[in-house]
Amino acid sequence: KVLFITGNGKEPKRIEKALQHYCSSPKVFRAGGTREGLEMLAKEDFDAVFAAVKSSADYMDLPGKVREINECIPVIVLVEKGNEICAAEALKKGAFDYLILGTDYMNTLPPVLERIEGISVTKNEREAELEERSPLFKQIYRSQKWWQNIIDSITDYLFVIDVNYRILRTNKAFADLFGREPADIIMKPYYELFGMDGPHEWCSLTGNMEKQSPRSIERSLNDAVYLISSFPIYFDNHDAVVYIMKDITETRRLKDQIYHLDKLSSLGTLTSGVAHEINNPLTGIIGYTEMMLMKEDGETRKKYLRNIYDAAIRCKRIVENMLTFSRQTPAQKNLENINEIIDNTIELHEYWLKSTNIEIVRSYSEVPYVAVDRQQMQQVILNLLINAEHAISDTDRRGRIEFRTVYDDKGKFMVITISDNGRGIPQDTLPKIFDPFFTTKPVNKGTGLGLSIAHGIIAEQGGTIEAKSEPDKGTAFIIKLPQSK
């Protein structure tokens, strides 16, 4: 007693003809679709179900739905020639076997019938066995459905690929991103969904998966920014990688706004100091010009002109540094000299350092260029410089801030140390200093964002930042940046 679930009327007739050759008086029933077929299965027993599999989740889920009604009915799927991937997926979902549409069923059907006869010794024995195993099967099936529902509830895009970049598993959100069903993209190379001929540079599956570590990277795809995390797995002698793509476009936009607001806050601190800095050389320009007008000696005139030139160049440099720092531009890494970035940042804050009698010590080494965003690194240095100045202002000692740069040839990274002899940071506070909005300063004296932003910027540059401190002795911030390749 056989049920055909297919909209094609020719194939059932051809298979029925083959059945009549090998079976005595077969009874054949037809259903035009999945819903009708399941309704018929719920009403009466069948020995087998033949179903045409298309790229439709409705047909792909059929074996599981039949199992829910009666676990002892084998489902044989019918697939187009060349579309064996659908058959493989149906088998994974519980189908018993498959046949290629349009083949010589006289030759291909007998092995299938023999397998069906092999699992159906007698109906009573089969039912007794299933009655004993049914609770376990149902529990396993419910557990599988439960985990699939959990994965499908995740709004981030999740997919698993093999070493050939073919999709093994995916959640509904990832399939919806391309307007497809999960069953339609299984076993397809993932990069084809993005309209590419090969994998992205961040998806490189080389070497032993067991030795690879999880990692995360930010990339722009289709006008959106994603945090792409990968987790290599090795199971049942198969290598695979789990990828999770999180849309952080809005988070990135808000972070850029916060960075710019922090710049504006720093500019507020710098403005009056820069005004004094520019005023001083301008006073020199005016004074030397007046003296030049009163003198006629050639050498003296030349000396005064040189002083005027130097003062004007100083004004120009101060204004250029401030404009560079204040300009809002997209983050862009370039090869930069860290020592020069520190010098330019110190120049911006030089007036305040002089007025507070703080000594600046530059302990530079010859270091290689590193790929960083110049503006963002200036922002980090300025935040740490202002923090050190505030820490020193709470003590009665003469202030000292040291900038030290060295290159670690063994680890292939640059080390920048900014240390002060201020009041230090209590040990119970030290673990919290990089938390957003955490500050020990009085109200209206700080936002609590400076160190948090510095930590975020250094992390984006691929480096690390940490703090070491002793109360009443001072604090040192250590920045490590990888060497450019």
Side-chain angles (χ1 to χ4, degrees):
K1 190 175 180 181
V2 175
L3 173 65
F4 281 94
I5 301 178
T6 176
N8 187 337
K10 296 180 181 179
E11 295 303 321
K13 290 180 181 179
R14 296 178 62 189
I15 296 177
E16 182 179 358
K17 184 178 180 180
L19 280 171
Q20 289 173 347
H21 188 270
Y22 293 102
C23 304
S24 58
S25 304
K27 296 179 181 179
V28 178
F29 297 79
R30 293 180 179 82
T34 303
R35 180 180 296 179
E36 182 184 350
L38 294 174
E39 290 175 354
M40 292 175 68
L41 285 167
K43 294 177 182 178
E44 51 186 305
D45 291 333
F46 288 91
D47 294 307
V49 173
F50 289 80
V53 173
K54 300 178 181 178
S55 296
S56 153
D58 190 27
Y59 277 97
M60 297 299 289
D61 291 339
L62 180 62
K65 293 177 180 178
V66 171
R67 195 185 303 117
E68 287 180 347
I69 297 173
N70 189 332
E71 293 184 352
C72 65
I73 300 179
V75 178
I76 298 92
V77 295
L78 309 172
V79 298
E80 296 283 352
K81 187 175 182 180
N83 200 23
E84 286 81 357
I85 287 179
C86 283
E89 286 306 309
L91 291 173
K92 289 180 184 178
K93 293 178 178 291
F96 179 77
D97 211 329
Y98 74 95
L99 293 172
I100 303 296
L101 289 169
T103 57
D104 183 3
Y105 297 117
M106 288 291 185
N107 294 321
T108 58
L109 186 61
V112 176
L113 296 177
E114 288 178 9
R115 289 192 62 208
I116 294 175
E117 290 174 359
I119 63 167
S120 56
V121 183
T122 67
K123 187 172 182 180
N124 292 335
E125 289 179 355
R126 183 171 61 186
E127 288 180 351
E129 181 184 358
L130 286 175
E131 186 177 353
E132 183 179 337
R133 295 164 56 186
S134 180
L136 177 60
F137 285 156
K138 287 181 179 178
Q139 185 176 353
I140 293 172
Y141 180 74
R142 283 196 299 266
S143 178
Q144 291 175 337
K145 295 294 286 184
W146 168 243
W147 275 108
Q148 188 62 46
N149 286 334
I150 289 175
I151 293 173
D152 284 339
S153 70
I154 299 173
T155 55
D156 294 339
Y157 308 124
L158 185 152
F159 62 100
V160 185
I161 60 175
D162 62 14
V163 293
N164 295 315
Y165 304 98
R166 295 178 302 187
I167 297 173
L168 301 177
R169 292 288 184 273
T170 180
N171 69 342
K172 199 169 188 313
F174 182 72
D176 289 344
L177 182 64
F178 305 97
R180 311 280 286 276
E181 289 293 331
D184 295 338
I185 62 176
I186 295 296
M187 299 307 294
K188 293 183 181 295
Y190 90 91
Y191 50 81
E192 290 183 359
L193 299 174
F194 291 91
M196 298 179 61
D197 297 326
H200 296 82
E201 46 84 20
W202 46 262
C203 185
S204 178
L205 308 183
T206 57
N208 191 341
M209 292 295 175
E210 290 183 291
K211 295 183 179 179
Q212 294 192 20
S213 302
R215 66 189 187 104
S216 296
I217 193 169
E218 289 185 14
R219 286 294 183 268
S220 295
L221 300 171
N222 300 337
D223 300 324
V225 182
Y226 294 96
L227 176 65
I228 305 172
S229 302
S230 61
F231 306 91
I233 56 175
Y234 181 80
F235 178 74
D236 196 22
N237 295 323
H238 293 288
D239 290 331
V241 182
V242 180
Y243 277 95
I244 299 177
M245 297 171 52
K246 185 178 184 65
D247 191 336
I248 59 169
T249 307
E250 183 64 14
T251 304
R252 167 58 60 191
R253 186 184 67 81
L254 293 174
K255 185 185 289 187
D256 290 342
Q257 286 185 355
I258 291 175
Y259 283 1
H260 190 58
L261 289 173
D262 184 67
K263 275 190 189 180
L264 296 178
S265 175
S266 300
L267 282 173
T269 305
L270 292 172
T271 302
S272 59
V274 171
H276 284 87
E277 284 286 349
I278 294 177
N279 190 54
N280 289 338
L282 285 177
T283 302
I285 292 173
I286 295 169
Y288 282 118
T289 304
E290 290 177 344
M291 293 174 66
M292 216 174 68
L293 292 172
M294 296 169 58
K295 299 282 186 179
E296 295 184 0
D297 182 65
E299 286 300 320
T300 303
R301 183 184 294 268
K302 192 172 183 180
K303 176 183 176 183
Y304 290 164
L305 283 172
R306 171 58 58 185
N307 289 336
I308 291 172
Y309 177 79
D310 291 341
I313 290 298
R314 187 178 170 199
C315 285
K316 180 176 180 290
R317 188 169 62 249
I318 291 169
V319 172
E320 284 178 347
N321 283 342
M322 193 166 184
L323 288 174
T324 299
F325 178 73
S326 64
R327 191 175 297 119
Q328 185 176 15
T329 57
Q332 186 174 3
K333 289 185 180 181
N334 293 297
L335 289 176
E336 302 285 355
N337 186 302
I338 289 295
N339 296 341
E340 289 181 3
I341 291 177
I342 295 173
D343 283 337
N344 290 339
T345 307
I346 292 173
E347 282 185 11
L348 282 174
H349 204 58
E350 193 169 12
Y351 172 79
W352 288 109
L353 297 172
K354 289 178 181 176
S355 64
T356 52
N357 197 26
I358 294 177
E359 177 190 8
I360 296 293
V361 179
R362 296 172 172 88
S363 301
Y364 297 158
S365 300
E366 289 190 12
V367 292
Y369 281 65
V370 290
V372 294
D373 183 279
R374 187 181 187 87
Q375 288 190 43
Q376 290 189 351
M377 283 306 300
Q378 261 193 294
Q379 192 171 355
V380 171
I381 300 299
L382 184 60
N383 280 337
L384 297 179
L385 181 59
I386 293 174
N387 276 2
E389 181 190 357
H390 289 167
I392 292 170
S393 65
D394 292 339
T395 66
D396 55 2
R397 64 175 73 100
R398 185 171 188 269
R400 183 178 187 274
I401 301 175
E402 180 181 5
F403 291 85
R404 180 182 296 274
T405 59
V406 296
Y407 177 67
D408 188 320
D409 187 59
K410 184 178 180 181
K412 302 297 181 185
F413 55 79
M414 170 89 67
V415 182
I416 308 165
T417 305
I418 304 170
S419 56
D420 64 69
N421 62 342
R423 69 179 185 275
I425 303 172
Q427 292 303 307
D428 59 337
T429 303
L430 199 58
K432 307 174 187 176
I433 60 174
F434 294 111
D435 293 347
F437 304 107
F438 177 81
T439 180
T440 57
K441 297 174 185 175
V443 179
N444 297 328
K445 291 295 184 180
T447 62
L449 286 173
L451 288 179
S452 172
I453 288 173
H455 183 278
I457 289 174
I458 295 300
E460 286 179 13
Q461 309 297 327
T464 62
I465 179 172
E466 61 176 325
K468 296 181 180 179
S469 184
E470 292 186 47
D472 299 324
K473 289 187 178 181
T475 303
F477 285 89
I478 300 98
I479 299 171
K480 294 181 181 179
L481 296 170
Q483 182 187 7
S484 308
K485 295 182 180 180

